[in-house]
């Protein structure tokens, strides 16, 4: 095996063993990082459900809104019957002409069905006072490059009330063409 073939084989093996252990999140000044960082292991860890990836929401021209969502939410196989045992974070931001805000959310519930996911969590970091310490929810429909997304603050004022765990409106927004890379791992509920 020549050197080039060895490098290609190692690269392929690394890609096969990488999981979605974390998502790099960009600041408002940077482009969002769609890549996931992960720990390489000899055996992949099974998950009951997951929602990962980054995308920008679509806005028609001439709007210059930069609305970005990034997910790293997981439900371990051992917790398959308890969606409230989900872990991870998600982040959203909305900037227009350099002004806006962001929120970082600690996941507290994740459900998926087919290519649709609903995730909720408590805001643990934000520069928008209405969101501080509130539970918010987001839904995602993983459609390849045509992903869709919905968010709870359309229907529930985060300054006044929380959404229920795993509660969010349907995915009513479109993502910007070419920016969607959401990945939903379907939840297979054991019925016995």
């Amino acid at each position: 095996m020549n050197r080039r073939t060895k490098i290609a084989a190692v690269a392929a093996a690394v890609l096969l063993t990488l999981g979605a252990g974390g998502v790099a999140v960009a600041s408002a000044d940077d482009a969002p990082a769609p890549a996931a960082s992960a720990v390489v292991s000899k055996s992949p860890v099974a998950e009951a459900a997951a929602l990962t990836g980054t995308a920008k929401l679509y806005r028609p021209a001439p709007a210059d809104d930069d609305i970005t969502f990034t997910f790293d939410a997981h439900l371990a196989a051992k917790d398959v019957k308890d969606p409230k045992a989900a872990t991870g974070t998600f982040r959203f931001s909305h900037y227009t002409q350099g002004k806006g805000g962001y929120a970082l959310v600690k996941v507290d519930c994740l459900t998926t069905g087919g290519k649709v996911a609903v995730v909720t969590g408590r805001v643990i970091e934000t520069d928008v006072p209405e969101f501080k310490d509130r539970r918010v929810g987001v839904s995602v429909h993983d459609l390849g490059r045509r992903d869709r997304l919905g968010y709870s603050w359309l229907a529930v004022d985060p300054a006044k009330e929380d959404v229920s765990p795993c509660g969010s409106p349907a995915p009513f927004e479109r993502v910007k063409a070419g920016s969607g890379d959401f990945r939903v791992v379907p939840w297979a509920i054991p019925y016995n």
Side-chain angles (χ1 to χ4, degrees):
M1 190 182 282
N2 67 29
R3 185 172 190 269
R4 209 177 257 173
T5 306
K6 285 180 187 177
I7 291 171
V10 169
V14 168
L15 287 174
L16 288 173
T17 58
L18 286 179
V23 175
V25 178
S27 70
D29 300 315
D30 299 328
S37 62
V39 176
V40 177
S41 66
K42 292 183 181 181
S43 62
V45 176
E47 290 186 296
L51 170 60
T52 57
T54 298
K56 292 179 178 285
L57 292 188
Y58 166 79
R59 290 295 181 265
D64 67 347
D65 295 59
D66 179 355
I67 307 168
T68 305
F69 285 80
T70 300
F71 299 95
D72 183 25
H74 305 272
L75 180 64
K78 69 180 180 62
D79 297 317
V80 69
K81 293 183 179 182
D82 185 7
K84 291 181 183 178
T87 60
T89 60
F90 64 93
R91 178 185 168 105
F92 56 92
S93 62
H94 185 167
Y95 294 95
T96 303
Q97 298 176 354
K99 296 179 182 177
Y102 78 96
L104 178 64
V105 182
K106 182 179 179 190
V107 170
D108 66 9
C109 193
L110 171 68
T111 59
T112 64
K115 291 294 188 175
V116 176
V118 176
V119 63
T120 57
R122 291 256 175 222
V123 175
I124 57 173
E125 182 182 310
T126 186
D127 55 1
V128 180
E130 294 81 15
F131 283 110
K132 185 67 177 155
D133 298 322
R134 302 311 297 201
R135 179 184 292 118
V136 295
V138 180
S139 62
V140 168
H141 192 181
D142 176 5
L143 294 168
R145 294 190 166 270
R146 298 176 297 121
D147 294 340
R148 298 186 67 84
L149 185 138
Y151 40 86
S152 63
W153 48 99
L154 172 76
V156 176
D157 182 350
K160 296 179 181 173
E161 61 183 311
D162 288 339
V163 298
S164 299
C166 280
S168 179
F172 54 88
E173 291 262 20
R174 292 187 294 161
V175 303
K176 187 175 178 180
S179 78
D181 76 341
F182 296 140
R183 180 173 175 267
V184 174
V185 174
W187 187 28
I189 304 168
Y191 288 102
N192 51 5

